[in-house]
Each structure stands twice: as structure tokens, then as C-alpha cells.
Amino acid sequence: MQRRVGQAAGAVILFAAVLALGPASAQQVTAVPGSPSATITLDGKQLPPPPSKFGGVIKESYKDSKPWWPPRVVPPKGAPNVLLIMTDDQGYGVSGTFGGVIPTPALDRVAKAGLRYTEFNSTALCSPTRAALITGRNHHSVGFGVITELSTGYPGYDSIIGPDNATVGRILSDNGYATSWFGKNHNTPGFQYGVSGPFDQWPSGMGFQYFYGFMGGESDQWTPYLFRDHTQIYPWVGKPGYNLITDMADEAIRYMNDLNASAPDKPFFVYYVPGGSHAPHQPTKEWIEKFKGKFDMGWNAMREQIFANQKRLGVVPANAQLTEWPEQLAKWDTLSANEKKLFARQAEVFAAYTAYTDHEIGRVIQAVQDMGKLDDTLIIYIVGDNGTSPEGSTLGTPNVFTAYNGVLDVPVEAQLKYYDSWGSPVTYPHMAVAWSWAFDTPFKWTKQVASHFGGTRQGLAISWPARIKDAGGIRRQFHHMIDIVPTILEVTGIKAPQLVDGIKQKPIEGVSMAYTFDTAKADAPSPHKVQYFEMAANRGIYSDGWYANTTPPVPPWMLGAAMPDLSTYKWELYNLTEDYSQANDLAEKMPAKLKELQALFIKEAAKYNVLPLDNQGFARAITPRPSSTAGKTVFTYTGETVGIPDGNAPSILNKSFKITAEVEVPEGGGDGMIVTEGGRFGGYGLYILKGRPVFTYNLVMLITARWAPPEDQPALTAGKHTIVFDFKYDGPGIAKSGTGVLRVDGKDVRTLTIPKTVPFILPPCETFDVGVDTRSGVNDLDYQVPFRFNGKIQKVTFNLGPSQLTPPDEKKVEEAKAKAKD
């Protein structure tokens, strides 16, 4: 009798605890209360839910006691798995699914099983788009009015997703989903990349239980700046032919299979965001060969072909117009034979990278089917986080760090030396901007330009076989990145929380697109009536079919060009119900309508933290922001230290510096890296090669200078030695010459002057390493990585002289650094 009373009391206690979580939760307790299999769903009021009170019985002896287990949180019954995919730097005309000439069968698969959306929009830049995508809020609302490298001290621009803006990862995780993030992470502020943390702005701090990807805007795909959770990893070591695009798919498939084996009924949310097709364009050789000769027609003919395909597929309206070709860009038929050869090769490699990326995405989708979960999986496949990138400038480059360092026009003849190796590990390539414009067909402009759909219109396909029955359908409603989170929440039955960790949440600002899944609502009007666009003061405002926007005063590929006053920008006006591609400007004909929309933009800008408007562009990079190394002039390291991000490393650019290494050489001779930053595409290294000290300076593959003792000088003996590299910079000014002295045990062994130095930036996807070189070497003729020092490093000290840049030079440097990380 006593035990039955105890059991009843426990049930009452459980029921009271469940009621504390809300009525909805109380109605969705499963299994026997207090049993190990009991589950509960949440009412969405707060995350995490309050702890349940113990509902069993505790007596002096276990024989008279009753165990009780707190219920396990699970999503509502019928909640699907979610696979959210987004590629990088791919405009509307890139994919074959939306009329492009590059086959994308994985995207085709999703579109044929579900729906294609023809009026879906981004923010025009990568990390702002990604912040909007994972929060369901406008990019300025969550501090990402621009990339983190340009962050400023205003709420809309600090690049911090605050605790009042819980991401979809956090919401789904706390509601019982297994959450994971694979690929690019450009939403952690640059000043938090170090392993010292804090990690609240890393994927783990945003609710993603597993992260496998790279930090920042881009990464070499052969030797990526890769992390598993918070730990830097090097999976390419010992794997010839390694490429991150394939490795990432392998890892996601492994993760999903492991999850299915250990918890087959637990739904997953996989956020899958590969680096393709952001520079560097680095597909495998096999994929490049598939596209040989496919772009000999040139960018103008390709653009016409894409537009015809789009009309045939119905992904642009029948009355849509192809916008005019810009005067700033050359027409294909005016080019020389060598120019056509080079530019066609650039497009072949870009296309190969795009197709390769889609192929690996297809493997991930197939793995879902192989687990028998495809019907119950919502797949959202977004083609690009912005329009196609213009950052290769007018000629393209085999090493984009030349462009990032102000060399915007590497001669065609110099580039042709890399024709056969374009896209391989020895190049870090980008294509000419005319291709980028053409890949944004039928629109004008490119990535970075938020005022025009060339920068913001993305292809989108969504499938969910259990729910979407209009397979192959097209949806023409206007929507935006902020609409993805509310769509996911609606289909999973999970409500946006009011409180997270006790902090009141900002409302979700997007609207659900789930209504479009119903065939009967295929032509229903969009509930997304108003949407602002803004990036570096290029502005746009959408209002129920009308669109007003500014005209970009300077093309985005003209780094450092002077910008006009904000008040002088020209405005355009379009009736999108009749003019899909922004081809016919009505501003002069309808000044009253334009004025109405301009006022609406200011209202929305004030509402969503867009103000103050700032058209300094990449000049904002000089804004002071948090840093653990700001102002330091002496850096000391002991032992082996690897993986320090460039933002936390001693910067040797545009100044005098001295490196002092106290080392112990082993018996038999010393060999290996002492200290290095950068690699094949630009950087420096101080090392011992077969017993002889060497310093190499790599000026972004344009000049390589090498300091070493004379050939007749004997190798270093076993024991302690002090090796110094002392560099005197010929400033003031930017990228000036300088003279370096290599000194061993107090004796000068080599003096050499170099005519130019790196002006702006070393490759940020490389790292600062002491005792080993972990990615690519600064001199492939001398050594191969990993190049670990076989002796002991007692101490390495950097002494930095003052910057020898004028204030205008400082501005140029910071602009270029930011440009390199978008």
C-alpha cells in the first residue's frame, strides 16, 4: 500500500513539473512518467526548459525507494529532419537548375522532387547573409551589417550575434534535434579565432553540437584552415589528392550514419555550407577536364545562352528582359587570342569547382536516402550566399593575394604560365569579373552590390516528399534569407522561444514560406511585403512588387576608389511585377513613387539598425576593434607552437623587424622550420635546411628572396646557436624596399636587399607556426611540409619597429585586409 501511494505521489509531482513547462508540454508527455523512455516536447516559452522535480520516492533503503528519470526533450511528433545547404559566391545564372551552363544534378534532384523559387534574395555579402540565414533576422539586426573584418562600434555592425538573437541551431538543439555545421564559418568575429576563446560566437556557442569546417571567408581547399569543434586539424597530411570539398561530404555522411546507428529516431539538423565556389577555385583535375573547351564561346554568348535557358525553364518570366552589358567590361569579340585562351580557362575551372561542389552535395543527399530518411527530410538548397564574386578584378589572377595586395591586373602573359596548373595546389585562382557579371544573368551587377539583384538574387530549391506534392513546381513569391528560420520552425512544430538563458529574445523578422508547399497555394501572394537591402551604402527597398534602389557609384572591383557623398547617390525605380530584371528605370517618370519608397527605406533602416549609413567600404577595416595583440611590439614563443591565426601573429609588413631564434641543433645536423607565417602564395620562413640557416621571403609569388650562408660555410654544429634575421624597411610608405641581414651567433652571413615587400596581407588561411610548417611552404624548392624542426627551440623573439605608413597608407592596408576576407 505504501509503495502504491509513493508511485501516485511521484506521478503527481511529475504532472506538476510538466505543467510548469506549459500546457502544450503537458499534453505531449510520452511513455510512463518517470521511466527511462519518457519524453516531452516544449511549449516554446523558454530555453532551456526549467528542470523537472524528482518524481520518485527516496527512503532510507533502495528497497523502499522508487527511481525516476526526467523526461527527455524531443521535437513534436512528425517533425522532419532538416538538411540546410548553401553554396558560396554563386549568382542566379550559375546553376543549370536555374538556366546556367554548369550542370548541377544534385540541385536538379531537389528541384524535381520539390519546388524552385525564382524570387529569393540574399544580402549581397557572405557573412551578413549567413547571419540572416541562421537567425531569421535581418543582418543589421544581429550585428552583421557587413563582414566581421569591417565591424564597427554600432549595434548593426559589431559582428556579434547577441544572446537575444538565438540561432536556429540553438532553438532546434534545445528542442531535441541533433545539430551540426559543416563547412564555412564566417560568423565568428575575427578577433575570436584564437583557441583561447571565448567560444560563444563559435558554432558551439550558437547551438551547433558538432562543427567541422573552416574559419573566415575563404580557405585553400587542398590545405584548409580547418577545425573540428574548437580544435585545429590537418586531415590532408599523408593523403595525396585530398580536397576539402570531398572530405566535408565524407565527414557529414559519417556523422549522419553514426547518428542513425546510435539514435535512429533522433531528428537531425545539418547545416551544410561548402566553400565552393568562393575563391580559390580549386576543384580536382578530373573535374577540370570535364569542362575543357566549354567556355570558348565567351561571356557575352554564354549570357545569351543562359537567358534563353532561363526562359525555356520558366525560371524567369516570359516578358523578362536581359539587362544591358556594362560599358566598364570588355566584350568578348574585342579580346586577343591569348586573352580568350586565359579567360576561358578561368571559367572552366570555376565551372568545375561548382559542379564538383554540387556532386559532393549529391553524395550527402544520397546518404540521407540510403538511411531511408529522404521522405521525412526537409532539404533546403540555396544557390550562393550572394551574387558571383567580382574580386578577381578585370583580368583574373592565378593567386588572388596579388589582387588583395593591390596588384589588380596581372598581365595575361604572366597568367598563362599557370594555364595547365590553374586550380591545382600551386594556384589560388579567381576569374575575370566579366564572367561574374555573366553568371548573374539576367541581372546587373555582382556580389557586394545590395542595390541590384545581380548581388542578391539566389536560386533556391526545397524538397520534402512527405509534404510537398507539386514535384517540379515553380514558386514566384518574393522571399528573403530571413524567411528560412521561420519556415523550419513551422514545419517542425517548434515555436520561437520568448526567453533563452533567461534573456528576452528579439522577434523573428522573417515569415514562413511553408504555405508555398501546398499546391493549392502555388500562386498565393507572398506575406513578405517589405524588405530593405543595404551594403556599404548601396541601398534597395522592396515594397509589394515595387523596388527602389541606388546606383552603385563605383564598381566593387575598383578597390580603394574614392566614394561620393551619401546624399549624391542616384536612385532608380522599378515595377518588378512587369520588370523582373530591373531593366527599365521609372525614376524620372514616377518621382512621387520613388520618394515614397525612399522614405520607406529610411523608416526600415531606423527600425533594423542600418544607421548610420557608411560608404567608406573597406576603409572601415581601420576601425579599432577588440584584439589580444593590439599595440604589442615584442612577441616571445617557446617550443613548438602551431595554428596561430594571422590576426594574433606579429605583423612584419611595412616596418622594420628583427627575429631572434635561440635553438639547439641535434647531433647529426639540424633541419626544419623555426618560424613561419603564410606559405606558397605569400609569406616568410626562418628555417634550417640540411644544417644551414635560411630565411625566405615570398612576395605573393611575384618575387622570392632567399638569404642563406655562402656555399663554403660549414653547417651548424650540434649544440646551442642564436640565429637572427634583421630587416630594415626603407620607409616611409607602403610596400617599400628593404635590406635584410641573416646573422648566426653574432656573425653576419648574408645581406640582401629586396625591391618590394608585401603591402597589405599574408594569406589568412595560413597560420603563424613555430617549430613546424603545417600547410604550404614558402619555398617549395627547399622543403616539403610538414617541415618539423628536429632540434629544440628555446625561444623565438620578434621585435617590431613602428609602422612606417602614412595615415592614407594605413587606410589602404586595412581596406585590403578586409577585402581579402569577404
Side-chain angles (χ1 to χ4, degrees), residues 636-713:
T636 301
Y637 306 91
T638 57
E640 184 176 297
T641 302
V642 299
I644 296 177
D646 71 309
N648 292 339
S651 174
I652 66 167
L653 304 186
N654 301 299
K655 65 188 65 166
S656 298
F657 64 91
K658 183 168 70 173
I659 304 172
T660 303
E662 299 174 25
V663 302
E664 185 173 340
V665 173
E667 294 289 343
D671 202 52
M673 182 59 65
I674 297 173
V675 63
T676 182
E677 184 179 4
R680 179 177 295 126
F681 307 109
Y684 65 88
L686 176 62
Y687 47 96
I688 296 177
L689 182 66
K690 298 178 181 178
R692 296 161 57 80
V694 178
F695 185 87
T696 291
Y697 189 94
N698 179 347
L699 178 60
V700 293
M701 295 170 57
L702 300 175
I703 298 174
T704 299
R706 186 177 185 272
W707 286 257
E711 292 293 332
D712 58 358
Q713 183 167 320

Side-chain angles (χ1 to χ4, degrees), residues 74-96:
V74 296
K77 185 177 181 181
N81 304 299
V82 180
L83 174 57
L84 175 57
I85 303 163
M86 185 167 67
T87 56
D88 204 337
D89 279 9
Q90 295 179 9
Y92 193 73
V94 167
S95 70

Side-chain angles (χ1 to χ4, degrees), residues 117-232:
Y117 294 79
T118 65
E119 295 191 30
F120 184 74
N121 300 276
S122 69
T123 72
L125 202 59
C126 47
S127 48
T129 287
R130 294 161 190 270
L133 176 63
I134 63 175
T135 65
R137 301 167 177 96
N138 286 297
H139 54 305
H140 295 86
S141 294
V142 293
F144 269 93
V146 73
I147 58 174
T148 178
E149 291 80 10
L150 299 179
S151 57
T152 56
Y154 297 100
Y157 299 94
D158 61 13
S159 75
I160 296 173
I161 299 176
D164 53 349
N165 291 304
T167 73
V168 65
R170 176 65 193 275
I171 296 170
L172 295 186
S173 176
D174 278 21
N175 277 277
Y177 270 78
T179 58
S180 56
W181 180 333
F182 297 90
K184 176 173 174 174
N185 168 25
H186 203 193
N187 289 121
T188 299
F191 48 81
Q192 289 191 10
Y193 281 5
V195 296
S196 60
F199 299 109
D200 60 302
Q201 297 294 302
W202 284 56
S204 62
M206 300 183 209
F208 292 87
Q209 299 159 1
Y210 184 69
F211 171 59
Y212 189 89
F214 62 91
M215 306 292 283
E218 65 185 52
S219 179
D220 189 299
Q221 299 297 298
W222 305 106
T223 56
Y225 183 39
L226 198 64
F227 286 79
R228 177 179 281 115
D229 295 324
H230 306 142
T231 302
Q232 196 170 162

Side-chain angles (χ1 to χ4, degrees), residues 509-748:
E509 293 165 359
V511 298
S512 174
M513 302 167 63
Y515 72 95
T516 64
F517 298 174
D518 296 333
T519 305
K521 296 182 180 179
D523 299 318
S526 174
H528 199 132
K529 300 297 184 184
V530 175
Q531 179 62 48
Y532 80 89
F533 295 82
E534 192 276 341
M535 192 64 62
N538 284 319
R539 287 151 276 170
I541 182 71
Y542 170 87
S543 179
D544 204 14
W546 286 90
Y547 193 79
N549 58 275
T550 58
T551 305
V554 176
W557 55 89
M558 292 181 63
L559 178 65
M563 299 298 292
D565 187 84
L566 289 167
S567 64
T568 65
Y569 278 51
K570 181 180 180 293
W571 280 77
E572 306 166 9
L573 176 68
Y574 300 97
N575 181 357
L576 297 180
T577 59
E578 300 175 358
D579 182 13
Y580 176 80
S581 60
Q582 294 175 283
N584 301 301
D585 183 7
L586 302 175
E588 292 186 5
K589 295 180 180 179
M590 305 182 68
K593 185 66 176 179
L594 176 59
K595 187 174 181 180
E596 171 193 328
L597 291 178
Q598 288 173 313
L600 179 60
F601 176 85
I602 292 298
K603 177 182 176 182
E604 295 294 292
K607 180 179 179 181
Y608 294 116
N609 292 339
V610 181
L611 304 179
L613 294 174
D614 189 342
N615 70 345
Q616 295 180 91
F618 291 95
R620 281 185 279 185
I622 64 174
T623 298
R625 55 184 60 86
S627 170
S628 60
T629 59
K632 285 178 65 68
T633 59
V634 178
F635 294 75
T636 301
Y637 306 91
T638 57
E640 184 176 297
T641 302
V642 299
I644 296 177
D646 71 309
N648 292 339
S651 174
I652 66 167
L653 304 186
N654 301 299
K655 65 188 65 166
S656 298
F657 64 91
K658 183 168 70 173
I659 304 172
T660 303
E662 299 174 25
V663 302
E664 185 173 340
V665 173
E667 294 289 343
D671 202 52
M673 182 59 65
I674 297 173
V675 63
T676 182
E677 184 179 4
R680 179 177 295 126
F681 307 109
Y684 65 88
L686 176 62
Y687 47 96
I688 296 177
L689 182 66
K690 298 178 181 178
R692 296 161 57 80
V694 178
F695 185 87
T696 291
Y697 189 94
N698 179 347
L699 178 60
V700 293
M701 295 170 57
L702 300 175
I703 298 174
T704 299
R706 186 177 185 272
W707 286 257
E711 292 293 332
D712 58 358
Q713 183 167 320
L716 296 177
T717 59
K720 296 182 178 180
H721 296 274
T722 299
I723 302 171
V724 175
F725 183 76
D726 195 352
F727 187 79
K728 302 302 182 185
Y729 183 74
D730 297 332
I734 197 167
K736 297 295 184 180
S737 59
T739 300
V741 178
L742 180 64
R743 189 175 298 125
V744 179
D745 296 329
K747 180 180 179 181
D748 295 356

Side-chain angles (χ1 to χ4, degrees), residues 88-89 126 130 149 184-186 193 214-221 223-226 244 275 277-282 353 389 391 399-401 404 428-430 447 761-766 818-822:
D88 204 337
D89 279 9
C126 47
R130 294 161 190 270
E149 291 80 10
K184 176 173 174 174
N185 168 25
H186 203 193
Y193 281 5
F214 62 91
M215 306 292 283
E218 65 185 52
S219 179
D220 189 299
Q221 299 297 298
T223 56
Y225 183 39
L226 198 64
L244 178 58
S277 302
H278 196 294
H281 304 156
Q282 292 176 325
Y353 192 32
S389 169
E391 290 141 8
N399 176 12
V400 77
F401 287 102
Y404 294 161
Y428 200 98
H430 205 320
K447 173 185 177 180
I761 188 170
L762 298 176
C765 58
E766 296 273 358
K819 182 80 171 178
K821 297 179 181 180
D822 70 356

